[in-house]
Amino acid sequence: MESTKSSNIERKALSQITESERQNWTSIAFIWIGTMICIPMLMVGGIFSASMTLANTTLAAFIGFAICSFIMVLTGIQGTDLGLPCTMCATKAFGDRGSSFLMSVVILIAQLGWFGVQTATCAAAFNTLLMYWSIPFPFWLSCVIWGGVMLFTAVYGFKFMKILNYIAVPALVVLCCYGAIYAINTKGFSNLIAFVPETAMPLSTAVSIVIGLFAVGTVINADFSRYAKSRVDTAKATVLGVLPAAVLMIFIGAVMAMAAGNYDITVVFASLGMPVISMLVLILATWTTNTGNAYTAGLAAMKVFSFKDELRPIVTLICGAAGTIVAIAGLATVLQSFISILSSLVPPIAGIMIADYWIIGKGNPENWYPVKGINWIGVLSWAAGSVVALFFSFFSPALDGILVCLVAYLILNSLFGKTSLAGGGRIDIGEMINRVKEESI
């Protein structure tokens, strides 16, 4: 029964969208708005508050998410044109097998890391809550308990989590609004604006962190934009769904952290005058978000290692256990470094897709076709861009990676585009979808 359900879900997820299934752009925009309202946004705002002025924090958030939105519009329009999700859209640039494997590996790394970060945040909030009743509790044990709770609901409790989401998101919105007002009333807006940190973070570094924070979004926009009715609708849904909400959340995170005098999100929430309620909302918000992280990591691991579908619950548990170990190890304390790694690995994928569809294919869906096997030109270009972004960045890792990948793909494609390095030749879209479905069963 589980196998049948999974097969149906995969089939719906991979199939080309028909005209009758297209939706209004506002429904897609609201998906992105809901995605922006999350704890990591507040955490990054808090990090910036320790080394940037409020004006520069807002500017970095705006520039970073404007760049993300621009990249998302380009990758999203391809999804709209083709009616296909991101993994399928990348099958020309990376090949059908190369696209599936590469994206799965990157998503696995990202989601495992975020699971660790949010498990640690939830555990810290839980321990803070217990301390109000003078109950000391080991951090590692709290990580194990809450990691287990999140895993259990990821495997078995999605109906329950749907109910929790209806509570958690509005509660977080209300608490953020209250927190911003509380911070401004407590410190005074003029004082917050005038604050100058002792050590300043370069704007380019902050912009790269912002891009890394939402790196996966630059690649997966096609998963949602394929439902858009037109290219213009994709642009409106992306820009209006991402930019305002994202900048506002980072701004609020920075304001609350400045007022609290600490960028630790647990301390920030505890300082709002309602510590018990704040900790409960923080626990609930991280819980609901992390369930999705664990589930997505499990699916990615299934694809990477070609496990049979009936092993999905076990694989999800293993991924969650690995993420819990990451939480105990202290990934949340080096969040900036983790995000920097994501900004080096993920955006280059989008750069290659943009080069292939918009420059080589001239943005014409008739020039696009899936490629069988692995397109090594795309894979090697991604590797080159990621290495430069990780170790030899000359401006901003995310942008450097995109630029290097784009140029490398164009050069390699002109030299080896007609050789076996470019994959096993073109295949029909229907055949490609069936091949991926069979591998997913």
Side-chain angles (χ1 to χ4, degrees):
M1 200 62 188
E2 175 65 24
S3 225
T4 304
K5 288 181 181 177
S6 299
S7 178
N8 289 337
I9 292 171
E10 291 293 337
R11 197 167 282 118
K12 185 177 181 181
L14 298 176
S15 298
Q16 224 170 354
I17 296 301
T18 63
E19 287 302 315
S20 62
E21 294 175 302
R22 303 280 181 171
Q23 299 180 19
N24 192 286
W25 70 269
T26 54
S27 63
I28 302 171
F30 274 110
I31 291 176
W32 284 123
I33 291 173
T35 303
M36 297 301 103
I37 302 173
C38 62
I39 297 299
M41 293 287 180
L42 300 176
M43 295 173 73
V44 169
I47 290 173
F48 287 170
S49 71
S51 54
M52 300 183 75
T53 63
L54 190 58
N56 282 345
T57 293
T58 307
L59 179 61
F62 179 81
I63 294 175
F65 277 103
I67 293 172
C68 283
S69 296
F70 177 71
I71 297 171
M72 289 173 68
V73 167
L74 293 180
T75 57
I77 286 176
Q78 182 181 357
T80 302
D81 289 348
L82 303 176
L84 294 170
C86 65
T87 304
M88 297 299 179
C89 288
T91 51
K92 182 173 183 288
F94 296 100
D96 61 339
R97 294 186 185 279
S99 166
S100 180
F101 182 81
L102 179 61
M103 287 199 172
S104 294
V105 169
V106 170
I107 290 173
L108 176 61
I109 294 172
Q111 298 308 93
L112 275 182
W114 280 121
F115 184 88
V117 169
Q118 299 230 57
T119 297
T121 302
C122 183
F126 179 68
N127 284 12
T128 301
L129 185 62
L130 290 180
M131 285 305 297
Y132 281 99
W133 291 289
S134 301
I135 304 174
F137 202 79
F139 173 74
W140 69 268
L141 184 56
S142 187
C143 285
V144 171
I145 292 173
W146 281 103
V149 169
M150 293 168 182
L151 281 174
F152 181 83
T153 48
V155 175
Y156 299 107
F158 275 98
K159 290 183 180 179
F160 177 58
M161 291 312 301
K162 186 175 181 180
I163 297 173
L164 282 182
N165 270 309
Y166 287 140
I167 302 171
V169 174
L172 184 58
V173 170
V174 171
L175 188 62
C176 286
C177 292
Y178 168 80
I181 295 171
Y182 181 86
I184 292 172
N185 289 338
T186 302
K187 293 293 184 178
F189 191 67
S190 58
N191 292 329
L192 294 173
I193 290 292
F195 172 76
V196 178
E198 294 181 3
T199 56
M201 177 187 294
L203 185 64
S204 61
T205 300
V207 169
S208 189
I209 290 174
V210 170
I211 296 173
L213 172 65
F214 197 51
V216 176
T218 62
V219 175
I220 67 169
N221 192 25
D223 288 351
F224 307 102
S225 66
R226 59 183 172 143
Y227 289 98
K229 295 180 179 179
S230 67
R231 290 183 168 187
V232 173
D233 280 2
T234 293
K236 290 190 294 185
T238 302
V239 175
L240 298 180
V242 170
L243 194 55
V247 174
L248 181 61
M249 287 296 289
I250 288 183
F251 174 84
I252 290 175
V255 166
M256 292 195 301
M258 286 179 177
N262 195 312
Y263 65 83
D264 186 311
I265 192 66
T266 307
V267 176
V268 170
F269 269 55
S271 68
L272 296 180
M274 300 183 299
V276 174
I277 294 177
S278 298
M279 290 304 101
L280 289 175
V281 172
L282 184 55
I283 290 171
L284 190 61
T286 53
W287 183 2
T288 54
T289 303
N290 234 15
T291 296
N293 290 336
Y295 183 69
T296 305
L299 290 179
M302 292 286 295
K303 190 64 181 173
V304 170
F305 299 106
S306 300
F307 290 126
K308 294 182 179 179
D309 196 57
E310 56 265 25
L311 294 176
R312 184 171 297 177
I314 296 175
V315 173
T316 301
L317 290 172
I318 293 173
C319 287
T324 302
I325 293 173
V326 168
I328 297 172
L331 180 61
T333 61
V334 289
L335 178 61
Q336 183 175 328
S337 298
F338 169 62
I339 293 176
S340 295
I341 292 174
L342 291 186
S343 70
S344 301
L345 295 179
V346 183
I349 294 177
I352 292 171
M353 293 173 65
I354 291 169
D356 182 76
Y357 189 76
W358 289 100
I359 299 178
I360 295 175
K362 304 184 185 305
N364 186 347
E366 294 182 359
N367 295 332
W368 183 91
Y369 52 85
V371 170
K372 185 177 181 180
I374 300 176
N375 183 344
W376 289 104
I377 293 174
V379 174
L380 293 174
S381 299
W382 171 79
S386 296
V387 168
V388 169
L390 280 170
F391 304 109
F392 307 103
S393 177
F394 45 87
F395 174 65
S396 167
L399 297 181
D400 296 344
I402 290 174
L403 179 61
V404 170
C405 280
L406 190 149
V407 173
Y409 186 80
L410 293 177
I411 293 175
L412 291 176
N413 188 75
S414 65
L415 295 174
F416 306 107
K418 296 182 180 180
T419 69
S420 59
L421 283 177
R426 67 172 66 194
I427 55 175
D428 180 75
I429 292 180
E431 180 186 349
M432 172 195 67
I433 293 174
N434 288 331
R435 278 164 58 89
V436 178
K437 282 179 183 177
E438 290 172 0
E439 293 176 4
S440 302
I441 294 176

